[in-house]
Amino acid sequence: MDEKYHLALKTAFASEFSFYLKAHNFHWNVEGPLFGQLHELFERIYTEVYGSIDTFAEHLRALQIYTPASYGKFSMLTAVPDENRVPEWKEMLEELLADSDRMADIFRITFDMAEANGDHGLSNFLADRQDAHKKHSWMLRASLK
Ligand SMILES: [Fe+2]
């Protein structure tokens, strides 16, 4: 068992769940002149990410890793910092963009680790997650111009 590899996967999972929650937070709490558009953009993002969570968790179980599944565990592991304030809409876009770029990077790194371990089904999944975050980043970046 490769401890570093397994920790990286648990960190990726906790970070993805934290990203999902932040996008949902922003969907609920966004305000401003672009309310309708941003409310929908954040919904599109959190829905896509949430749709990947169960499959991700079950990939971990297939490697005999216990899936982190509590806010305590997530806060110990996540690379996506919690947001306890209600930022203004532009700051929400900037923050979620930075987090989405971070997620794409996390999936780039964990993809390489999964390939090195011969876990090709998992590496396909991680490649798809990297791609999904690149698209989320594109939409967030485009909304800031
Ligand atoms: Fe909603």
Side-chain angles (χ1 to χ4, degrees), residues 23-91:
H24 213 148
N25 171 351
F26 291 174
H27 165 76
W28 286 323
N29 291 315
V30 68
E31 291 177 321
L34 299 174
F35 169 79
Q37 287 171 49
L38 295 180
H39 184 65
E40 277 182 27
L41 174 63
F42 294 137
E43 176 170 9
R44 181 184 179 133
I45 292 172
Y46 83 69
T47 301
E48 191 286 327
V49 174
Y50 190 74
S52 76
I53 289 290
D54 188 61
T55 303
F56 197 172
E58 292 177 3
H59 271 296
L60 299 194
R61 292 301 300 135
L63 292 179
Q64 300 184 51
I65 299 168
Y66 286 115
T67 303
S70 67
Y71 291 121
K73 284 273 186 191
F74 290 151
S75 73
M76 279 186 253
L77 290 163
T78 186
V80 171
D82 220 1
E83 181 52 270
N84 297 309
R85 300 169 305 125
V86 178
E88 57 105 51
W89 65 269
K90 194 158 187 269
E91 198 187 334

Side-chain angles (χ1 to χ4, degrees), residues 5 106-118 123 126:
Y5 173 45
I106 285 170
F107 288 121
R108 179 181 59 77
I109 293 162
T110 47
F111 170 89
D112 288 341
M113 293 172 116
E115 281 291 284
N117 278 273
S123 67
L126 296 168

Side-chain angles (χ1 to χ4, degrees), residues 97-133:
L97 172 57
D99 291 335
S100 185
D101 283 347
R102 186 175 295 119
M103 290 311 307
D105 208 42
I106 285 170
F107 288 121
R108 179 181 59 77
I109 293 162
T110 47
F111 170 89
D112 288 341
M113 293 172 116
E115 281 291 284
N117 278 273
D119 294 327
H120 301 303
L122 174 59
S123 67
N124 278 347
F125 171 80
L126 296 168
D128 286 345
R129 296 313 306 146
Q130 181 189 19
D131 204 40
H133 275 284

